[in-house]
Amino acid sequence: MTSLAVPLDLTDPAVVADPYPAFAAARPAGPVQWHEGLGLWLAFTHAESNAVLRDRRLGRIWRDRTPEERFGSFNLIHRNAILEMEPPEHTRLRRLVSAAFARGHVERLRPWVQQLADSLVDGLVERSGGTAEVDVLSGMAEDLPVAVIAELLGVPQADRPLLRPWSNAIVKMYEYGRTEAVEDAAERAAAEFVAYLRGLAAERRRSPGEDLLTHLVTVRDSDGDRLTEDELVTTCVLLLNAGHEATVNVSGNGLLALLEHRDQLARLRADPALLPTAIEELMRFDSPLQLFERTATEDVEVGGVTVRRGQKIAALLGSANRDPAVFADPDTLDVGRTDNPHISFGAGVHFCIGAPLARVELQASFGALLRRTSDLQLARPARRRPEFVIRGLAELPVVLSR
């Protein structure tokens, strides 16, 4: 068994602040290494992380958090989630959700998303006036994706402020070294979110609309199959949690990277056509999700080690996206990078179902920042969230000029 030459402490503030030097130091010891503290294998390279995500013998096997009576709602929203299923259940559920998504919802929202992004940036510029600091996270990055998911699902305007606090509390359960208070808050948020969505789904059954929730309520496949109530609720929770968390963190991490690499920001201003390529590079350079677990359903060889049946192995997405075997000058931000097979959206059957929507949101928000400002400056050092797995900022103070 290949163990980490230098134990990687994912709760170390230095690693949370900047994990990439630690990944680079550990990677030469082996593409896959055992982490005794976490009790799982870690895949450090692009090839092995990609294999972890694609190998059907390495599955997303959900095990209820225990004691089950303490985590009833949290377990419910994972037990029925696409992300926590394997075929054939995964195939059936993804087919139904994809059918609802296929009704043009993403394209329908594109002009509205751009208009909202423009409005949010204009608000930031007005409040900053070229001198005052404003927080891009609370002023735009957090508002946009939550508003988009809410609009997509048809959540009434008055209820939308409920969504992000629920999501924030739930996703803290994915971190290591959680406190009991964090776990209690996650279960409470899950219970409130589930109850709210059951009520909203019942309303859509009585009064259908043109939103995604209506289509999730009514969608049937060729065999007449449909989503169960629990699957419907879980899918909505997943769309919000996975969809907006990633987008918020790409926005924050990405803008910070551009502000710290002024040459790349200037390059993007000079050539706006680079924007789609730049979005992919920002996702690669500082991945919003750093670690994604799989469980072996049989003995599997990955990167020269054997992952035994029942053992867990995690793809370190941030490490894979900085692998020098795949990316030239991997620690260099290059908004024109075209050879960019990053795996920030995952890979294989669990490739992010919301990737097209995320790209629309990110192109709208970064496009608005570039078009509707003449200057962007970091007002003071950004403040990072103290979690490793979901990598993001707590605050991004900037000064913007028209």
Side-chain angles (χ1 to χ4, degrees):
M1 182 178 288
T2 303
S3 295
L4 277 173
V6 178
L8 183 64
D9 181 0
L10 303 187
T11 63
D12 181 345
V15 173
V16 171
D18 184 3
Y20 304 108
F23 294 157
R27 201 180 292 118
V32 178
Q33 303 172 42
W34 178 256
H35 194 293
E36 188 63 40
L38 300 177
L40 49 68
W41 294 96
L42 294 175
F44 284 84
T45 61
H46 187 279
E48 275 64 39
S49 291
N50 206 20
V52 167
L53 298 176
R54 293 179 182 276
D55 195 313
R56 302 307 320 124
R57 297 168 297 173
L58 298 171
R60 290 289 292 181
I61 312 298
W62 174 255
R63 293 186 178 88
D64 280 353
R65 296 292 169 96
T66 56
E68 292 181 14
E69 61 272 15
R70 184 182 169 209
F71 295 110
S73 296
F74 182 82
N75 287 333
L76 170 75
I77 63 173
H78 291 81
R79 196 185 304 128
N80 297 281
I82 302 174
L83 197 57
E84 308 295 349
M85 290 180 177
E86 289 299 301
E89 292 83 2
H90 174 275
T91 307
R92 168 190 160 273
L93 188 54
R94 184 154 183 142
R95 184 173 64 241
L96 287 165
V97 175
S98 296
F101 254 106
R103 305 206 185 175
H105 288 290
V106 173
E107 283 309 308
R108 169 177 68 85
L109 286 181
R110 187 184 288 270
W112 182 86
V113 173
Q114 188 62 70
Q115 184 178 22
L116 176 59
D118 289 349
S119 173
L120 289 170
V121 170
D122 287 348
L124 286 171
V125 172
E126 186 176 340
R127 293 195 298 278
S128 177
T131 57
E133 74 170 48
V134 291
D135 180 21
V136 173
L137 283 184
S138 60
M140 185 187 73
E142 293 174 352
D143 287 352
L144 181 74
V146 173
V148 171
I149 295 291
E151 185 75 13
L152 185 73
L153 291 172
V155 175
Q157 195 77 37
D159 297 340
R160 295 181 183 185
L162 298 168
L163 301 180
R164 182 157 172 81
W166 281 336
S167 176
N168 275 344
I170 291 168
V171 300
K172 282 185 169 58
M173 278 288 283
Y174 308 146
E175 300 296 334
Y176 298 104
R178 300 179 306 273
T179 64
E180 190 172 307
V182 164
E183 294 179 343
D184 288 343
E187 171 59 21
R188 191 163 51 248
E192 291 173 2
F193 206 170
V194 166
Y196 175 78
L197 288 169
R198 288 199 197 286
L200 194 58
E203 173 63 27
R204 287 297 177 278
R205 290 190 182 93
R206 291 191 297 270
S207 304
E210 285 304 311
D211 51 80
L212 179 62
L213 180 56
T214 295
H215 290 153
L216 289 170
V217 166
T218 59
V219 69
R220 293 177 184 269
D221 66 12
S222 57
D223 298 323
D225 195 11
R226 65 190 302 171
L227 296 173
T228 68
E229 172 97 351
D230 287 348
E231 289 168 347
L232 171 71
V233 165
T234 292
T235 296
C236 293
V237 173
L238 178 65
L239 286 172
L240 178 73
N241 288 0
H244 98 272
E245 283 290 336
T247 309
V248 169
N249 293 329
V250 173
S251 298
N253 295 345
L255 182 55
L256 178 61
L258 288 173
L259 292 172
E260 292 177 338
H261 297 79
R262 306 293 303 184
D263 61 323
Q264 296 302 299
L265 178 58
R267 186 179 173 195
L268 200 46
R269 281 194 185 280
D271 187 1
L274 285 175
L275 185 59
T277 303
I279 297 300
E280 303 304 313
E281 173 67 349
L282 295 174
M283 293 191 69
R284 179 202 73 83
F285 186 75
D286 200 2
S287 307
L289 179 67
Q290 289 285 317
L291 179 150
F292 203 49
E293 290 182 0
R294 292 286 198 271
T295 302
T297 57
E298 59 183 86
D299 289 1
V300 183
E301 185 174 321
V302 185
V305 306
T306 300
V307 183
R308 299 295 180 190
R309 182 176 183 272
Q311 282 187 328
K312 288 188 174 185
I313 181 170
L316 285 172
L317 306 183
S319 179
N321 286 341
R322 296 279 191 109
D323 187 347
V326 174
F327 302 98
D329 299 319
D331 296 323
T332 299
L333 182 69
D334 176 5
V335 296
R337 189 186 296 269
T338 53
D339 185 10
N340 188 359
H342 73 77
I343 54 173
S344 295
F345 280 127
V349 300
H350 287 293
F351 182 82
C352 177
I353 199 169
L357 181 62
R359 287 183 167 118
V360 167
E361 293 174 14
L362 291 165
Q363 289 178 26
S365 59
F366 279 93
L369 282 167
L370 292 168
R371 284 195 325 276
R372 305 177 86 83
T373 67
S374 62
D375 190 35
L376 281 163
Q377 296 288 339
L378 192 59
R380 53 187 169 81
R383 184 162 55 88
R384 190 162 289 286
R385 284 165 49 172
E387 296 96 19
F388 169 81
V389 176
I390 297 177
R391 179 168 170 78
L393 300 175
E395 185 184 31
L396 181 54
V398 298
V399 174
L400 304 92
S401 303
R402 179 75 65 190

